[in-house]
Amino acid sequence: MVQLTDAKLLRDKAYIDGAWAGADSGKSFAVTNPADGKELAQVPDMGAAETRRAIEAADRALPAWRAKTAKERANILRKWYELIMAAQEDLAKLMTAEQGKPLAEARGEVAYGASFIEWFAEEGKRIYGDVIPSHGADKRILVIKQPIGVVAAITPWNFPNAMITRKVAPALAAGCTAVIKPGEDTPLSALALAELAERAGIPAGVFNIVTTSNAKEVGGEMTSNPIVRKLSFTGSTGVGKLLMEQCAGTVKKVSLELGGNAPFIVFDDADLDAAVAGAMMSKYRNAGQTCVCANRILVQASVYDAFAAKLADAVRKMKVGSGFEEGVTTGPLINEKGIAKVERLVQEAVSKGAKVEIGGKRHAAGSNFYEPTILTNVSKDMELFSEEIFGPVAPLFKFDTEDEAIAMANDTQYGLAAYFYARDIGRIWRVSEALEYGILGINEGIISTEVAPFGGIKESGIGREGSKYGVDDFTEIKYMCLGGIK
Ligand SMILES: NC(=O)c1ccc[n+]([C@@H]2O[C@H](COP(=O)([O-])OP(=O)(O)OC[C@H]3O[C@@H](n4cnc5c(N)ncnc54)[C@H](O)[C@@H]3O)[C@@H](O)[C@H]2O)c1
Ligand SMILES: O=C[C@H](O)CS(=O)(=O)O
């Protein structure tokens, strides 16, 4: 069990229409610690009927919530932000227990997640419209923006707090109401957010959490129910495509934050120490389980050996173990499926000639732990060039020219994040404009912040989260033509 200061933050019921509820069937499913497999809690295993009730509750709550002024909603959201930050340690412990990331990373995610609530509480007050010069002397043209309505959100396990607040904060600030299905591996962080939302005064029905091990059934209700006007999804590209198809039947607006295959390019004019520091942060954060992790490290031939040696020195200093253990940098992967994928990709690369410089196998700390790994002598025909690794594995590819690096970097159906290290200003502009990605880290390995637009192109998604752009996805534009004015 997790020892919390505020025991009420560990909730084992779903949250619908302001009430803590079990499944109609009475069924529940286990939430386990990926570090040791121990059960943390049982949560309700809900289905379509409960999801429908949550959607209907959100619909009933919508008129009063959207009728509040932006400032009234902002005051409530600000209170939620303050309660989350006051509970940061407990929320971090819950997250490390159910997701595995080191406690320091979990604390960081809680603050990152809360920053979206802080940011959008203010942005909700700046959802401006337009007065447009009229096309007729007897007419006046106005444009207003209104909340899109009931929002359904489906979120992943790798950031079980921030991927929820990154959607719910702009939605609620704009006057929408929301129903969330969190990842089945990590529902406790979501339920703790609901407990704090209730304490903050977010009215019943405005924010609902449906827990389930049957994502297909709950998602099927979310994507087909006509009351839902918007689906916001964060997860794999494959599931994103499926949900997008399912939303077509009722022409729902969709926002998709999907998979990545980030290139991390080190040019011969890079500051190699800075590049190594950036690669460590980008590649190994959350044991490599982030959508913006460096997935392919591309190093110019003349600096390849020097970079590889420096990176290896840094990786050797990493510590694998439980996220609660002091000094641990790399926790467990989320489950057997996740670690089996990493194992498959490494073994396939080795079978085609890759050399394991460091790591390359499961760690003795437990069945879900994988050694931080560096592979050299890798090539484009290996599956890890095209597939998202989602583990602590850094394949170092070699290139000769700038054009070759850009071609390799863009040789993927993904387009979320890309990184490169260089100091020549002409190169920085040429490469920045040539890379086909939604986010660039230039001499920087950590790029995520609430003030900037986060999102991808190609098969990495649709829409942006965070920044002044993030609220647009939760509003509809209405054009008003006032006639009869003489
Ligand atoms: N772009 C981003 O911001 C971002 C952020 C985090 C994770 N991701 C991506 O998510 C993936 C890892 O997360 P994951 O393994 O949880 O992804 P996933 O797609 O397997 O699951 C994501 C969510 O979708 C649900 N889901 C799965 N199948 C479903 C279905 N048929 N109908 C409805 N819901 C369904 C899951 O229960 C979970 O809540 C990676 O590809 C990663 O790149 C992207
Ligand atoms: O995994 C995807 C997250 O969006 C990563 S980040 O926390 O936003 O950098």
Side-chain angles (χ1 to χ4, degrees):
M1 289 302 282
V2 193
Q3 295 306 315
L4 303 178
T5 303
D6 181 347
K8 277 198 72 179
L9 288 176
L10 201 171
R11 284 289 183 171
D12 60 4
K13 290 287 183 284
Y15 187 68
I16 295 175
D17 201 11
W20 296 97
D24 292 351
S25 66
K27 290 180 181 172
S28 63
F29 64 95
V31 183
T32 58
N33 183 335
D36 57 17
K38 288 181 179 167
E39 181 174 306
L40 300 167
Q42 288 277 334
V43 297
D45 203 352
M46 293 185 159
E50 297 95 326
T51 307
R52 193 171 309 117
R53 291 203 299 273
I55 291 166
E56 289 164 355
D59 194 34
R60 286 194 302 275
L62 182 62
W65 181 249
R66 65 183 292 170
K68 286 183 182 295
T69 65
K71 187 166 186 176
E72 288 168 335
R73 291 195 293 267
N75 290 340
I76 295 171
L77 289 173
R78 179 76 201 183
K79 179 66 178 167
W80 192 24
Y81 164 78
E82 288 164 357
L83 289 171
I84 289 169
M85 290 310 295
Q88 184 179 17
E89 193 62 18
D90 275 349
L91 296 176
K93 286 177 181 173
L94 270 179
M95 187 186 301
T96 294
E98 66 174 351
Q99 197 272 343
K101 64 182 65 175
L103 205 49
E105 283 193 33
R107 292 188 189 106
E109 183 187 336
V110 172
Y112 173 58
S115 72
F116 290 99
I117 299 170
E118 180 191 36
W119 173 267
F120 284 108
E122 288 308 305
E123 281 302 292
K125 301 177 191 173
R126 295 169 186 80
I127 300 176
Y128 299 131
D130 296 298
V131 175
I132 297 173
S134 173
H135 58 302
D138 62 338
K139 297 174 182 60
R140 298 295 180 272
I141 296 179
L142 297 173
V143 174
I144 62 171
K145 291 181 181 176
Q146 295 180 299
I148 199 166
V150 172
V151 174
I154 298 175
T155 57
W157 50 262
N158 64 338
F159 288 83
N161 173 298
M163 296 305 99
I164 291 174
T165 59
R166 205 164 75 174
K167 299 172 185 304
V168 170
L172 269 54
C176 300
T177 55
V179 179
I180 293 86
K181 189 210 77 67
E184 50 274 20
D185 293 298
T186 56
L188 302 181
S189 296
L191 296 174
L193 282 172
E195 167 65 22
L196 295 171
E198 188 175 51
R199 295 183 194 176
I202 293 179
V206 172
F207 178 55
N208 304 275
I209 306 278
V210 174
T211 57
T212 186
S213 67
N214 188 343
K216 187 174 170 59
E217 181 178 336
V218 168
E221 180 63 29
M222 286 179 157
T223 52
S224 63
N225 190 310
I227 295 172
V228 173
R229 297 311 312 139
K230 166 85 182 188
L231 178 82
S232 183
F233 171 71
T234 296
S236 63
T237 292
V239 175
K241 289 178 178 178
L242 179 69
L243 295 175
M244 190 172 180
E245 282 174 24
Q246 291 175 201
C247 285
T250 48
V251 194
K252 291 180 186 6
K253 299 280 174 60
V254 293
S255 292
L256 302 173
E257 293 285 354
L258 305 179
N261 181 7
F264 186 105
I265 309 170
V266 183
F267 286 103
D268 56 13
D269 63 324
D271 173 337
L272 288 189
D273 291 326
V276 167
M280 290 300 291
M281 288 187 286
S282 170
K283 174 66 260 185
Y284 296 102
R285 179 162 68 109
N286 199 11
Q289 300 170 115
T290 93
C291 57
V292 291
C293 279
N295 205 60
R296 298 166 290 156
I297 299 183
L298 316 179
V299 188
Q300 199 150 19
S302 60
V303 296
Y304 186 93
D305 293 343
F307 176 83
K310 286 176 179 284
L311 187 67
D313 288 345
V315 170
R316 284 189 196 94
K317 295 176 183 143
M318 296 179 78
K319 183 179 177 184
V320 177
S322 158
F324 287 107
E325 197 180 324
E326 189 63 36
V328 160
T329 59
T330 307
L333 300 194
I334 189 66
N335 53 33
E336 175 56 30
K337 178 185 166 193
I339 197 164
K341 174 185 176 184
V342 173
E343 211 164 39
R344 168 177 61 82
L345 289 171
V346 170
Q347 288 167 355
E348 190 268 351
V350 169
S351 72
K352 290 181 178 174
K355 180 176 181 238
V356 177
E357 298 291 344
I358 294 182
K361 61 184 187 303
R362 294 188 189 217
H363 191 278
S367 60
N368 284 343
F369 292 87
Y370 200 83
E371 295 181 349
T373 296
I374 296 175
L375 300 176
T376 55
N377 197 40
V378 290
S379 52
K380 286 174 56 177
D381 64 315
M382 296 171 183
E383 287 173 359
L384 49 63
F385 183 83
S386 310
E387 258 191 80
E388 189 175 39
I389 299 167
F390 237 56
V393 176
L396 307 188
F397 295 84
K398 194 179 290 185
F399 69 89
D400 292 311
T401 67
E402 187 178 294
D403 287 347
E404 184 190 355
I406 290 167
M408 286 175 76
N410 287 338
D411 183 9
T412 174
Q413 79 271 29
Y414 293 104
L416 186 56
Y419 308 84
F420 69 93
Y421 280 70
R423 280 176 292 190
D424 175 85
I425 191 64
R427 167 168 282 170
I428 285 172
W429 273 109
R430 289 193 304 273
V431 175
S432 295
E433 291 169 344
L435 288 175
E436 297 166 353
Y437 290 85
I439 307 169
L440 295 186
I442 303 157
N443 299 321
E444 183 53 64
I446 294 287
I447 39 86
S448 303
T449 167
E450 76 281 9
V451 307
F454 187 104
I457 63 174
K458 298 165 75 177
E459 296 191 19
S460 286
I462 298 170
R464 292 297 183 270
E465 295 187 334
S467 83
K468 67 174 185 176
Y469 301 100
V471 77
D472 295 347
D473 283 1
F474 297 99
T475 62
E476 290 281 21
I477 288 173
K478 181 176 283 177
Y479 152 44
M480 298 158 60
C481 181
L482 279 64
I485 299 169
K486 276 293 185 192

PDB file of all heavy atoms in Angstrom, residues 367-382:
ATOM      1  N   SER A 367      11.199  -8.114 -12.917  1.00  0.00           N
ATOM      2  CA  SER A 367      10.812  -8.560 -14.259  1.00  0.00           C
ATOM      3  C   SER A 367      10.473  -7.402 -15.208  1.00  0.00           C
ATOM      4  O   SER A 367      10.608  -7.543 -16.412  1.00  0.00           O
ATOM      5  CB  SER A 367       9.607  -9.499 -14.153  1.00  0.00           C
ATOM      6  OG  SER A 367       8.520  -8.799 -13.543  1.00  0.00           O
ATOM      7  N   ASN A 368      10.093  -6.257 -14.653  1.00  0.00           N
ATOM      8  CA  ASN A 368       9.732  -5.132 -15.538  1.00  0.00           C
ATOM      9  C   ASN A 368      10.867  -4.127 -15.729  1.00  0.00           C
ATOM     10  O   ASN A 368      10.670  -3.067 -16.336  1.00  0.00           O
ATOM     11  CB  ASN A 368       8.507  -4.393 -14.982  1.00  0.00           C
ATOM     12  CG  ASN A 368       7.210  -5.160 -15.240  1.00  0.00           C
ATOM     13  OD1 ASN A 368       7.168  -6.065 -16.082  1.00  0.00           O
ATOM     14  ND2 ASN A 368       6.173  -4.805 -14.512  1.00  0.00           N
ATOM     15  N   PHE A 369      12.041  -4.442 -15.226  1.00  0.00           N
ATOM     16  CA  PHE A 369      13.156  -3.487 -15.306  1.00  0.00           C
ATOM     17  C   PHE A 369      14.065  -3.813 -16.491  1.00  0.00           C
ATOM     18  O   PHE A 369      14.397  -4.988 -16.725  1.00  0.00           O
ATOM     19  CB  PHE A 369      13.985  -3.514 -14.023  1.00  0.00           C
ATOM     20  CG  PHE A 369      13.275  -2.972 -12.815  1.00  0.00           C
ATOM     21  CD1 PHE A 369      12.470  -3.788 -12.041  1.00  0.00           C
ATOM     22  CD2 PHE A 369      13.413  -1.636 -12.463  1.00  0.00           C
ATOM     23  CE1 PHE A 369      11.810  -3.288 -10.924  1.00  0.00           C
ATOM     24  CE2 PHE A 369      12.748  -1.122 -11.340  1.00  0.00           C
ATOM     25  CZ  PHE A 369      11.952  -1.958 -10.581  1.00  0.00           C
ATOM     26  N   TYR A 370      14.482  -2.780 -17.231  1.00  0.00           N
ATOM     27  CA  TYR A 370      15.375  -2.988 -18.364  1.00  0.00           C
ATOM     28  C   TYR A 370      16.611  -2.108 -18.199  1.00  0.00           C
ATOM     29  O   TYR A 370      16.500  -0.957 -17.758  1.00  0.00           O
ATOM     30  CB  TYR A 370      14.678  -2.647 -19.689  1.00  0.00           C
ATOM     31  CG  TYR A 370      15.330  -3.277 -20.895  1.00  0.00           C
ATOM     32  CD1 TYR A 370      15.042  -4.597 -21.267  1.00  0.00           C
ATOM     33  CD2 TYR A 370      16.273  -2.583 -21.647  1.00  0.00           C
ATOM     34  CE1 TYR A 370      15.642  -5.192 -22.366  1.00  0.00           C
ATOM     35  CE2 TYR A 370      16.883  -3.172 -22.735  1.00  0.00           C
ATOM     36  CZ  TYR A 370      16.571  -4.479 -23.093  1.00  0.00           C
ATOM     37  OH  TYR A 370      17.211  -5.074 -24.171  1.00  0.00           O
ATOM     38  N   GLU A 371      17.765  -2.637 -18.546  1.00  0.00           N
ATOM     39  CA  GLU A 371      19.021  -1.888 -18.361  1.00  0.00           C
ATOM     40  C   GLU A 371      19.082  -0.716 -19.338  1.00  0.00           C
ATOM     41  O   GLU A 371      18.798  -0.898 -20.528  1.00  0.00           O
ATOM     42  CB  GLU A 371      20.209  -2.813 -18.582  1.00  0.00           C
ATOM     43  CG  GLU A 371      20.331  -3.925 -17.561  1.00  0.00           C
ATOM     44  CD  GLU A 371      21.542  -4.805 -17.801  1.00  0.00           C
ATOM     45  OE1 GLU A 371      22.165  -4.664 -18.881  1.00  0.00           O
ATOM     46  OE2 GLU A 371      21.862  -5.620 -16.918  1.00  0.00           O
ATOM     47  N   PRO A 372      19.476   0.470 -18.879  1.00  0.00           N
ATOM     48  CA  PRO A 372      19.732   1.559 -19.828  1.00  0.00           C
ATOM     49  C   PRO A 372      20.746   1.084 -20.868  1.00  0.00           C
ATOM     50  O   PRO A 372      21.775   0.505 -20.505  1.00  0.00           O
ATOM     51  CB  PRO A 372      20.303   2.668 -18.951  1.00  0.00           C
ATOM     52  CG  PRO A 372      19.758   2.382 -17.587  1.00  0.00           C
ATOM     53  CD  PRO A 372      19.703   0.883 -17.489  1.00  0.00           C
ATOM     54  N   THR A 373      20.400   1.276 -22.134  1.00  0.00           N
ATOM     55  CA  THR A 373      21.107   0.610 -23.225  1.00  0.00           C
ATOM     56  C   THR A 373      21.583   1.590 -24.286  1.00  0.00           C
ATOM     57  O   THR A 373      20.893   2.572 -24.588  1.00  0.00           O
ATOM     58  CB  THR A 373      20.162  -0.426 -23.865  1.00  0.00           C
ATOM     59  OG1 THR A 373      19.859  -1.427 -22.878  1.00  0.00           O
ATOM     60  CG2 THR A 373      20.774  -1.086 -25.094  1.00  0.00           C
ATOM     61  N   ILE A 374      22.775   1.316 -24.820  1.00  0.00           N
ATOM     62  CA  ILE A 374      23.271   2.037 -26.000  1.00  0.00           C
ATOM     63  C   ILE A 374      23.618   1.006 -27.065  1.00  0.00           C
ATOM     64  O   ILE A 374      24.305   0.019 -26.766  1.00  0.00           O
ATOM     65  CB  ILE A 374      24.529   2.876 -25.682  1.00  0.00           C
ATOM     66  CG1 ILE A 374      24.208   3.993 -24.679  1.00  0.00           C
ATOM     67  CG2 ILE A 374      25.117   3.482 -26.963  1.00  0.00           C
ATOM     68  CD1 ILE A 374      25.445   4.776 -24.229  1.00  0.00           C
ATOM     69  N   LEU A 375      23.132   1.221 -28.278  1.00  0.00           N
ATOM     70  CA  LEU A 375      23.436   0.338 -29.412  1.00  0.00           C
ATOM     71  C   LEU A 375      24.218   1.137 -30.452  1.00  0.00           C
ATOM     72  O   LEU A 375      23.858   2.284 -30.766  1.00  0.00           O
ATOM     73  CB  LEU A 375      22.159  -0.191 -30.055  1.00  0.00           C
ATOM     74  CG  LEU A 375      21.199  -1.015 -29.187  1.00  0.00           C
ATOM     75  CD1 LEU A 375      19.945  -1.364 -29.997  1.00  0.00           C
ATOM     76  CD2 LEU A 375      21.865  -2.265 -28.652  1.00  0.00           C
ATOM     77  N   THR A 376      25.283   0.535 -30.995  1.00  0.00           N
ATOM     78  CA  THR A 376      25.987   1.163 -32.121  1.00  0.00           C
ATOM     79  C   THR A 376      25.926   0.204 -33.305  1.00  0.00           C
ATOM     80  O   THR A 376      25.342  -0.875 -33.206  1.00  0.00           O
ATOM     81  CB  THR A 376      27.478   1.425 -31.757  1.00  0.00           C
ATOM     82  OG1 THR A 376      28.065   0.176 -31.332  1.00  0.00           O
ATOM     83  CG2 THR A 376      27.583   2.463 -30.647  1.00  0.00           C
ATOM     84  N   ASN A 377      26.514   0.633 -34.427  1.00  0.00           N
ATOM     85  CA  ASN A 377      26.474  -0.164 -35.652  1.00  0.00           C
ATOM     86  C   ASN A 377      25.043  -0.536 -36.029  1.00  0.00           C
ATOM     87  O   ASN A 377      24.735  -1.663 -36.409  1.00  0.00           O
ATOM     88  CB  ASN A 377      27.312  -1.458 -35.507  1.00  0.00           C
ATOM     89  CG  ASN A 377      27.621  -2.064 -36.883  1.00  0.00           C
ATOM     90  OD1 ASN A 377      27.910  -1.335 -37.838  1.00  0.00           O
ATOM     91  ND2 ASN A 377      27.506  -3.376 -36.990  1.00  0.00           N
ATOM     92  N   VAL A 378      24.155   0.468 -35.888  1.00  0.00           N
ATOM     93  CA  VAL A 378      22.742   0.250 -36.240  1.00  0.00           C
ATOM     94  C   VAL A 378      22.469   0.800 -37.642  1.00  0.00           C
ATOM     95  O   VAL A 378      23.200   1.636 -38.150  1.00  0.00           O
ATOM     96  CB  VAL A 378      21.809   0.916 -35.222  1.00  0.00           C
ATOM     97  CG1 VAL A 378      21.857   0.188 -33.888  1.00  0.00           C
ATOM     98  CG2 VAL A 378      22.155   2.386 -35.038  1.00  0.00           C
ATOM     99  N   SER A 379      21.381   0.321 -38.240  1.00  0.00           N
ATOM    100  CA  SER A 379      21.070   0.721 -39.623  1.00  0.00           C
ATOM    101  C   SER A 379      19.564   0.890 -39.812  1.00  0.00           C
ATOM    102  O   SER A 379      18.777   0.393 -38.998  1.00  0.00           O
ATOM    103  CB  SER A 379      21.599  -0.343 -40.595  1.00  0.00           C
ATOM    104  OG  SER A 379      21.112  -1.631 -40.194  1.00  0.00           O
ATOM    105  N   LYS A 380      19.202   1.563 -40.878  1.00  0.00           N
ATOM    106  CA  LYS A 380      17.808   1.926 -41.133  1.00  0.00           C
ATOM    107  C   LYS A 380      16.889   0.734 -41.347  1.00  0.00           C
ATOM    108  O   LYS A 380      15.685   0.841 -41.203  1.00  0.00           O
ATOM    109  CB  LYS A 380      17.735   2.844 -42.369  1.00  0.00           C
ATOM    110  CG  LYS A 380      18.223   4.259 -42.142  1.00  0.00           C
ATOM    111  CD  LYS A 380      18.251   5.057 -43.428  1.00  0.00           C
ATOM    112  CE  LYS A 380      16.908   5.086 -44.111  1.00  0.00           C
ATOM    113  NZ  LYS A 380      16.920   5.933 -45.338  1.00  0.00           N
ATOM    114  N   ASP A 381      17.443  -0.428 -41.670  1.00  0.00           N
ATOM    115  CA  ASP A 381      16.591  -1.609 -41.914  1.00  0.00           C
ATOM    116  C   ASP A 381      16.156  -2.265 -40.609  1.00  0.00           C
ATOM    117  O   ASP A 381      15.362  -3.194 -40.609  1.00  0.00           O
ATOM    118  CB  ASP A 381      17.340  -2.616 -42.783  1.00  0.00           C
ATOM    119  CG  ASP A 381      18.576  -3.144 -42.058  1.00  0.00           C
ATOM    120  OD1 ASP A 381      19.321  -2.321 -41.467  1.00  0.00           O
ATOM    121  OD2 ASP A 381      18.789  -4.364 -42.039  1.00  0.00           O
ATOM    122  N   MET A 382      16.648  -1.799 -39.499  1.00  0.00           N
ATOM    123  CA  MET A 382      16.259  -2.364 -38.191  1.00  0.00           C
ATOM    124  C   MET A 382      14.924  -1.765 -37.764  1.00  0.00           C
ATOM    125  O   MET A 382      14.649  -0.582 -37.981  1.00  0.00           O
ATOM    126  CB  MET A 382      17.352  -2.081 -37.160  1.00  0.00           C
ATOM    127  CG  MET A 382      18.661  -2.758 -37.487  1.00  0.00           C
ATOM    128  SD  MET A 382      20.003  -2.208 -36.410  1.00  0.00           S
ATOM    129  CE  MET A 382      21.373  -3.120 -37.134  1.00  0.00           C
TER     130      MET A 382
END
